Amino acid sequence: MKRITTLSFFMLLCWITAFAIPRAEYPRPQFERNAWINLNGEWTYSFDFSGSGLEREWFKSTGFDQKITVPFCPESKLSGVEYKDFINHMWYHRTISIPQDWADKQVLLHFGAVYYKSEIYIDGVFAARHFGGTSSFQVDITPYVKAGQTHNLVVYVESDVRSTHQPSGKQNLQFASYGCNYTRTTGIWQTVWLEAVHPEGLQSVQMIPDIDQQQLIIRPRFYKELGGKLEVTLKDNGKVVSKETVAANALSTVILPVKKMKTWSPENPFLYDVEFRVIDKAGNVVDEVKSYAGMRKVHIEGNKIYLNNQPYYQRLVLDQGFYPDGIWTAPSDEALKKDIQLSMEAGFNGARLHQKVFEERFYYWADKLGYLTWGEASSWGMDCNDIETARNFITEWTEIVERDRNHPSILIWTPTNEEFWPDRVQYPRLMQDLYKLTKVIDPTRPFHGTSGGSHIATDIWTVHNYEQDPAKLKELLYNDGKLMEAPKWEIQLMPKNIGYNGLKYTYQYTFPQYKHDMPYLIDEFGGIKWNPSQQMESAQNTSWGYGEPPHSLEEFYARLEGLVNTVLSLSDHVWGYCYTQLTDVEQEQNGIYYYDRTPKFDMKRIHAIFSKNPESK
């Protein structure tokens, strides 16, 4: 019998462990370190429907009486729980062991996302609080743990999706799913992990590709600045392209010349490898981070969006990012990649990632495969008039943009969807604040304040229209030399200073109108309902979609092609589209694919329709 070496045994153990832990892959592929521990897997939990857990000091727990599989939410099948009712309070527990060789390191506890408000406790001691259900965050738990020891980690979660004070996205606000609203997600729904970082380590970087000047600009931040150096190396398939060393402080800017630059695009999604090394005063390498960068530029000229200085027509699909067994959480890394591949096989060159912040691994695959994306937040459900709600949203949006701004696949930032000017003061204020803030955090991309709603501060103009007749759609979009604009409505307000005497003031709100000075896109259309069993009365009662469904497959193909050709025929005025949608989701039956990702249609015919560009209309 062949002897098993120590190395081969270790590799076998790693292989077994990787398959035992759900979502075992590294969760942050654009900022990767070697010293990390995945905390996914079996945790204990307890629901706290009365909200009395704090009073009962559950933060001191050493284990609850029920089990859940993290990172899947308790509503999902993959969590092992499948509790579908509202969960306003919930507690998690697991033990964490700190390796002995982390003794001189900062120990960081990372959460991919926890919906919505979370509090973190170590051995019963409060460590941090976070607001925001879709943004990633980290907690420095160094003061609360010791190397070589095991500690109790408790996570307390609060969520009230019906309060209007937190964005809920497509989570349904009734008991059961309805219309285009689906199963809720509560608590931990992305990977939880530990990381060891040297006190002088690299905290983050902003990478700005400058294809016009043939250079990559990098702005670093550090946990502590103690006089060390930062070495940055840019590689093309292992070959060094550029290398620079600067002082390790936040005032330093690294400028890497990139000769014979290879640009990133859907046609050629080339990525450079980037290596960061922090070197202390004594010359020791104290931190190493692996990353990558795509050299690409997105900008606007007139009514067109440009990619790498060329007009680029976007053929997008609406992607809700829901999964039958994981809800908001993909069952595997391969599932994230597969969704992009399915979209590309259907003829799309990108997606509007709708009412959900997708995890970093999705953007990684979009970067690798050459897939355009629009970054959006889960804005539905929040009251834009409420100042505290706006404050929470601004904080979460800041974290979203900072986390994802280095991904070349993201072309547009879209914080909200279908906001129709709920008031004349706070909503415009929120939109203007979001515009200014986003431009400070990331000046390299267009900002799209609200998709298909009232445009207060935006770089592009969008409309939503689900007219099912191609001829009528064309007339609605472009008639007598005018493009479809936002509607007007009247809002009646009771003046506070006159009490309840029945007098009312009526304000005629004239929405901002399109001035033909920016790109105009129809970023929701189609949504053709198709369910092969839709002729059955039961299916008619349970399924949902836009318009009267076709009566045959041939009628479906004809309507679909007619709608797409209509939009393409207006390319002098309408510079791109987003079709609803990639997959069915629960009762919504207007996907190109079924909810389980199997195809509904002849995908060759579907690809022939969606792969058309304006010049081939």
Side-chain angles (χ1 to χ4, degrees):
M1 184 175 179
K2 184 178 288 186
R3 185 177 181 179
I4 300 177
T5 65
T6 302
L7 179 60
S8 61
F9 176 78
F10 175 75
M11 294 177 65
L12 178 62
L13 182 62
C14 290
W15 183 82
I16 294 173
T17 302
F19 278 87
I21 298 175
R23 300 302 307 272
E25 65 280 351
Y26 193 82
R28 191 182 59 189
Q30 209 175 15
F31 201 82
E32 184 173 354
R33 289 189 175 94
N34 291 327
W36 76 290
I37 298 172
N38 192 315
L39 298 181
N40 291 344
E42 185 178 282
W43 293 46
T44 64
Y45 81 96
S46 180
F47 294 136
D48 180 14
F49 296 117
S50 66
S52 62
L54 284 169
E55 182 182 348
R56 290 186 279 173
E57 297 188 335
W58 282 7
F59 51 86
K60 296 180 180 179
S61 175
T62 57
F64 296 106
D65 58 355
Q66 299 179 80
K67 296 178 180 179
I68 186 171
T69 300
V70 169
F72 304 107
C73 69
E75 291 89 347
S76 71
K77 180 179 180 180
L78 289 173
S79 71
V81 179
E82 281 193 277
Y83 184 84
K84 302 292 188 180
D85 208 342
F86 290 89
I87 306 169
N88 283 11
H89 306 271
M90 182 178 179
W91 295 78
Y92 293 83
H93 170 273
R94 70 157 288 161
T95 58
I96 54 174
S97 298
I98 311 302
Q100 186 62 53
D101 61 0
W102 288 14
D104 298 324
K105 302 290 182 68
Q106 285 187 145
V107 181
L108 303 180
L109 174 62
H110 292 268
F111 293 87
V114 183
Y115 191 88
Y116 170 73
K117 174 186 171 185
S118 53
E119 293 181 357
I120 315 303
Y121 298 86
I122 306 293
D123 294 334
V125 178
F126 174 78
R129 180 181 293 111
H130 182 259
F131 293 86
T134 60
S135 57
S136 302
F137 64 100
Q138 66 181 36
V139 181
D140 185 351
I141 61 172
T142 311
Y144 311 102
V145 298
K146 291 184 179 179
Q149 295 189 13
T150 298
H151 301 272
N152 290 291
L153 165 62
V154 172
V155 180
Y156 170 49
V157 173
E158 292 183 18
S159 176
D160 186 0
V161 293
R162 293 186 291 189
S163 67
T164 73
H165 296 316
Q166 63 190 59
S168 58
K170 287 301 191 80
Q171 301 182 72
N172 62 75
L173 305 184
Q174 300 176 12
F175 170 73
S177 299
Y178 61 94
C180 59
N181 297 274
Y182 325 119
T183 301
R184 290 173 292 277
T185 288
T186 307
I188 298 171
W189 67 276
Q190 287 187 31
T191 293
V192 185
W193 49 293
L194 290 170
E195 182 182 38
V197 183
H198 190 275
E200 296 180 62
L202 191 62
Q203 185 176 22
S204 67
V205 296
Q206 180 181 11
M207 295 188 285
I208 304 174
D210 181 358
I211 71 169
D212 295 328
Q213 312 305 320
Q214 298 282 291
Q215 60 189 9
L216 177 63
I217 303 167
I218 297 174
R219 295 171 178 164
R221 286 192 295 180
F222 303 86
Y223 287 102
K224 287 186 179 179
E225 300 177 5
L226 301 176
K229 300 287 185 181
L230 173 66
E231 179 186 275
V232 186
T233 306
L234 187 72
K235 293 184 177 181
D236 175 351
N237 292 314
K239 181 181 178 181
V240 175
V241 174
S242 192
K243 187 174 182 178
E244 296 290 339
T245 302
V246 298
N249 62 64
L251 295 177
S252 296
T253 298
V254 183
I255 299 178
L256 296 169
V258 187
K259 297 180 179 179
K260 298 180 180 179
M261 179 184 291
K262 298 178 181 178
T263 56
W264 182 97
S265 69
E267 292 73 26
N268 181 34
F270 181 82
L271 298 172
Y272 288 92
D273 294 316
V274 186
E275 297 175 358
F276 299 97
R277 299 169 79 221
V278 180
I279 304 166
D280 67 12
K281 284 184 177 180
N284 302 307
V285 177
V286 296
D287 191 22
E288 293 185 84
V289 176
K290 294 180 181 179
S291 185
Y292 66 83
M295 301 299 296
R296 70 103 181 90
K297 172 186 176 183
V298 55
H299 78 284
I300 289 170
E301 289 185 20
N303 69 343
K304 288 183 170 54
I305 299 173
Y306 282 64
L307 179 64
N308 299 334
N309 294 323
Q310 297 295 323
Y312 204 93
Y313 193 89
Q314 295 178 65
R315 309 183 315 275
L316 310 178
V317 68
L318 199 73
D319 188 347
Q320 309 276 8
F322 274 72
Y323 298 87
D325 47 2
I327 315 300
W328 260 3
T329 312
S332 66
D333 188 49
E334 184 62 29
L336 293 171
K337 179 182 179 182
K338 185 64 176 176
D339 278 0
I340 296 172
Q341 291 173 325
L342 289 175
S343 176
M344 297 172 76
E345 288 168 9
F348 301 105
N349 60 18
R352 183 176 155 225
L353 307 180
H354 188 45
Q355 283 300 289
K356 173 192 167 184
V357 179
F358 283 49
E359 59 181 282
E360 289 184 83
R361 295 291 308 190
F362 184 93
Y363 287 121
Y364 165 73
W365 286 117
D367 297 339
K368 293 274 287 185
L369 298 173
Y371 190 64
L372 305 177
T373 59
W374 290 17
E376 186 174 326
S378 54
S379 64
W380 272 17
M382 70 173 184
D383 179 6
C384 291
N385 303 340
D386 183 75
I387 295 176
E388 181 182 356
T389 304
R391 176 188 178 186
N392 289 341
F393 186 76
I394 287 173
T395 301
E396 186 171 0
W397 180 249
T398 298
E399 294 172 343
I400 292 165
V401 176
E402 286 184 333
R403 190 197 76 173
D404 295 335
R405 62 188 173 186
N406 291 331
H407 289 286
S409 58
I410 301 177
L411 258 60
I412 309 287
W413 292 121
T414 308
T416 70
N417 176 68
E418 291 182 348
E419 295 289 348
F420 294 106
W421 206 337
D423 83 335
R424 60 197 177 107
V425 178
Q426 295 303 330
Y427 172 65
R429 177 186 178 190
L430 174 60
M431 288 296 106
Q432 289 160 357
D433 287 347
L434 288 171
Y435 184 91
K436 294 174 185 176
L437 178 65
T438 306
K439 290 296 186 180
V440 169
I441 301 171
D442 178 20
T444 71
R445 290 177 175 87
F447 176 86
H448 177 213
T450 184
S451 174
S454 178
H455 300 298
I456 303 298
T458 188
D459 295 321
I460 66 174
W461 194 278
T462 60
V463 295
H464 297 173
N465 194 304
Y466 285 103
E467 171 58 51
Q468 297 292 297
D469 182 274
K472 290 181 180 179
L473 177 63
K474 185 169 187 176
E475 184 177 340
L476 287 169
L477 285 177
Y478 192 73
N479 190 21
D480 293 331
K482 294 182 179 180
L483 285 159
M484 172 184 169
E485 297 176 336
K488 300 176 182 178
W489 58 13
E490 289 186 354
I491 297 179
Q492 293 184 329
L493 302 176
M494 178 77 75
K496 293 182 180 179
N497 62 343
I498 63 172
Y500 295 95
N501 60 5
L503 295 178
K504 292 182 179 180
Y505 293 147
T506 300
Y507 295 93
Q508 177 81 34
Y509 280 4
T510 302
F511 283 71
Q513 300 299 300
Y514 181 62
K515 298 178 181 178
H516 301 269
D517 58 348
M518 61 178 65
Y520 181 109
L521 296 87
I522 178 168
D523 67 339
E524 281 190 35
F525 85 113
I528 305 172
K529 177 181 174 182
W530 179 257
N531 183 335
S533 61
Q534 65 189 9
Q535 301 303 327
M536 297 171 53
E537 184 177 352
S538 60
Q540 289 280 17
N541 291 336
T542 59
S543 62
W544 186 90
Y546 293 97
E548 182 69 22
H551 295 92
S552 68
L553 264 176
E554 286 305 316
E555 184 181 337
F556 174 90
Y557 290 126
R559 184 188 300 183
L560 176 63
E561 188 160 22
L563 291 172
V564 172
N565 285 348
T566 290
V567 177
L568 292 173
S569 72
L570 296 171
S571 60
D572 287 343
H573 314 284
V574 181
W575 192 243
Y577 66 75
C578 179
Y579 181 83
T580 303
Q581 62 187 356
L582 181 60
T583 73
D584 291 347
V585 182
E586 299 182 3
Q587 71 283 343
E588 187 169 358
Q589 304 289 317
N590 49 23
I592 297 300
Y593 297 92
Y594 291 109
Y595 197 17
D596 65 2
R597 274 57 176 176
T598 54
K600 279 186 179 182
F601 308 105
D602 179 343
M603 294 313 297
K604 289 183 179 179
R605 293 186 69 171
I606 295 295
H607 181 274
I609 294 170
F610 286 120
S611 61
K612 295 180 183 179
N613 281 311
E615 61 270 19
S616 60
K617 59 180 180 287

